[in-house]
Amino acid sequence: MMGEKNLQTLLATMHPVQRTGEYVYVLWPHGKPLVPGIEAAVREAEGLTVVLPRAEADELGLKYDFVAAWITLEIHSELEAVGLTAAVSRALTDAKISCNVLAGFHHDHLLVSVGDSARALEVLAELSAAHAADPEPAREVKLRSETPDDRAAILALTAEAFAVSPVTGLPVEGEPEEVDLLRRLFECDEYRPDFSVVAEVDGEIVGHVISTRAWADGLELLGLGPIGVTPRLQRHGIGTALMRETVIRANAAGERGIGLLGSTEYYQRFGFVPASSMGIEAPDTHWGDNFQFLPLALWPGGVHGTFRYAGPFVATESNPTSGKR
Ligand SMILES: CC(C)(COP(=O)(O)OP(=O)(O)OC[C@H]1O[C@@H](n2cnc3c(N)ncnc32)[C@H](O)[C@@H]1OP(=O)(O)O)[C@@H](O)C(=O)NCCC(=O)NCCS
């Protein structure tokens, strides 16, 4: 379809540029003459909203709540921007970044909270990069719940995925401990079949993620891990697909939140935040910000307690989830 191709080109060629400074939305005082510093204005029956540099608003003594960074989507293309803002807003929404879009004659502009600006630029760069190449049609990755018949293949792929320790970066001697952990998770009371998900390519199991019942402050939660992808297919989006599927399933099942131990760099793209910022303490205080939490749609808030994983995690002699992932 022509429209889609155009959108692909637009996304691939867009170049997000952040203006210097901070910007605010203010309700302009009725009858006050406009000042040159105003960057955008919208007249409504209720009054005039203007966007202007924060410093100017301060100088004029105007009140504001939202302090924004201003990102302009420079696009080197004559194409019509059909669907561009929708695609951009969606990518930012998926990354839990809210944005206000202003459409100018030449470009679209995004106002995001100043605290989110670096991440927003990253998300836009990722979105652009994802459309940059004209890749071979990707082989279809099928996600489905694990069945007992899959277990041998899952254990084998987990052994492969963890053959090099994600904690130390060194080869592991013998069977990686995640394999036995997984064996025991399959058999434990906290096992939830719908949260053991495999990724299949051409009938071969190439990825797996499991989440099991966990708790904090008496509230039922999910503890995610291990997650593994066959080494030869890592960095092809399979881990991302498994993470997203888990979050979709968890929301659909009315779960409240997911805890995990892992790299902050990797998991924050799925909306995970340091668990302590949500009132949830790690089972091991040494884990710090690597113990992360994703509050789901039904997250009740006001939860304060230590996260408790399924039994097999605790029973593992040397806890396989310890250390930085
Ligand atoms: C971690 C793992 C599940 C990710 O799956 P994947 O299919 O390789 O990841 P995706 O292709 O979806 O995502 C790739 C992105 O994640 C990043 N990434 C992958 N693993 C990462 C890690 N451990 N730390 C930080 N970033 C990581 C990549 O740099 C890449 O980033 P980019 O998109 O900005 O280039 C997979 O690499 C794996 O099995 N690793 C070995 C086992 C492991 O470490 N499991 C997690 C600990 S329980």
Side-chain angles (χ1 to χ4, degrees), residues 125-194:
E126 280 165 19
L127 180 66
S128 189
H131 292 82
D134 194 9
E136 295 282 297
R139 283 187 294 166
E140 197 192 342
V141 178
K142 186 176 157 198
L143 302 174
R144 60 170 177 80
S145 298
E146 160 254 319
T147 71
D149 286 348
D150 298 323
R151 289 189 181 166
I154 294 171
L155 294 173
L157 103 79
T158 304
E160 262 193 278
F162 287 91
V164 173
S165 162
V167 180
T168 62
L170 298 172
V172 173
E173 274 185 35
E175 183 181 80
E177 52 198 348
E178 286 79 3
V179 178
D180 196 48
L181 170 65
L182 202 45
R183 237 178 238 129
R184 287 180 298 120
L185 287 174
F186 285 143
E187 302 302 330
C188 73
D189 289 344
E190 297 90 346
Y191 171 73
R192 295 288 175 278
D194 287 349

Side-chain angles (χ1 to χ4, degrees), residues 80 103 163 195 224 245 250:
E80 268 183 35
F195 291 106
L224 186 148
E245 178 72 8

Side-chain angles (χ1 to χ4, degrees), residues 31-316:
K32 184 179 175 70
L34 296 180
V35 295
I38 290 174
E39 300 283 340
V42 181
R43 191 176 296 283
E44 296 169 302
E46 296 83 351
L48 183 70
T49 306
V50 309
V51 184
L52 78 173
R54 182 185 191 172
E56 294 228 24
D58 287 340
E59 216 170 285
L60 295 165
L62 299 170
K63 289 207 172 64
Y64 51 80
D65 293 322
F66 178 56
V67 181
W70 186 308
I71 298 171
T72 297
L73 296 181
E74 292 187 356
I75 294 177
H76 305 291
S77 162
E78 297 295 309
L79 299 170
E80 268 183 35
V82 180
L84 175 73
T85 40
V88 165
S89 308
R90 187 184 174 144
L92 292 171
T93 305
D94 285 348
K96 304 235 174 340
I97 298 170
S98 60
C99 78
N100 294 333
V101 183
L102 293 173
F105 192 84
H106 299 285
H107 300 298
D108 285 332
H109 308 267
L110 309 173
L111 279 92
V112 301
S113 172
V114 276
D116 288 332
S117 63
R119 179 73 190 120
L121 287 169
E122 263 175 46
V123 169
L124 295 171
E126 280 165 19
L127 180 66
S128 189
H131 292 82
D134 194 9
E136 295 282 297
R139 283 187 294 166
E140 197 192 342
V141 178
K142 186 176 157 198
L143 302 174
R144 60 170 177 80
S145 298
E146 160 254 319
T147 71
D149 286 348
D150 298 323
R151 289 189 181 166
I154 294 171
L155 294 173
L157 103 79
T158 304
E160 262 193 278
F162 287 91
V164 173
S165 162
V167 180
T168 62
L170 298 172
V172 173
E173 274 185 35
E175 183 181 80
E177 52 198 348
E178 286 79 3
V179 178
D180 196 48
L181 170 65
L182 202 45
R183 237 178 238 129
R184 287 180 298 120
L185 287 174
F186 285 143
E187 302 302 330
C188 73
D189 289 344
E190 297 90 346
Y191 171 73
R192 295 288 175 278
D194 287 349
F195 291 106
S196 179
V197 183
V198 294
E200 243 181 16
V201 172
D202 298 337
E204 180 195 355
I205 293 181
V206 295
H208 174 251
V209 62
I210 190 166
S211 305
T212 42
R213 175 58 68 230
W215 298 265
D217 199 9
L219 187 70
E220 289 195 337
L221 300 169
L222 289 172
L224 186 148
I227 176 171
V229 171
T230 299
R232 83 188 138 81
L233 289 178
Q234 285 175 8
R235 313 224 153 178
H236 284 69
I238 295 170
T240 299
L242 287 167
M243 288 299 299
R244 294 208 168 128
E245 178 72 8
T246 298
V247 174
I248 289 167
R249 287 181 179 214
N251 270 318
E255 293 288 337
R256 312 300 177 89
I258 307 174
L260 61 77
L261 177 69
S263 141
T264 48
E265 205 189 321
Y266 186 56
Y267 294 102
Q268 82 171 14
R269 69 187 67 194
F270 308 111
F272 282 80
V273 294
S276 57
S277 70
M278 303 296 304
I280 298 182
E281 300 310 322
D284 180 332
T285 51
H286 295 105
W287 294 354
D289 283 355
N290 288 106
F291 185 65
Q292 296 163 70
F293 191 77
L294 177 71
L296 294 168
L298 292 183
W299 173 242
V303 177
H304 296 280
T306 301
F307 192 87
R308 182 157 62 88
Y309 272 109
F313 282 91
V314 183
T316 306

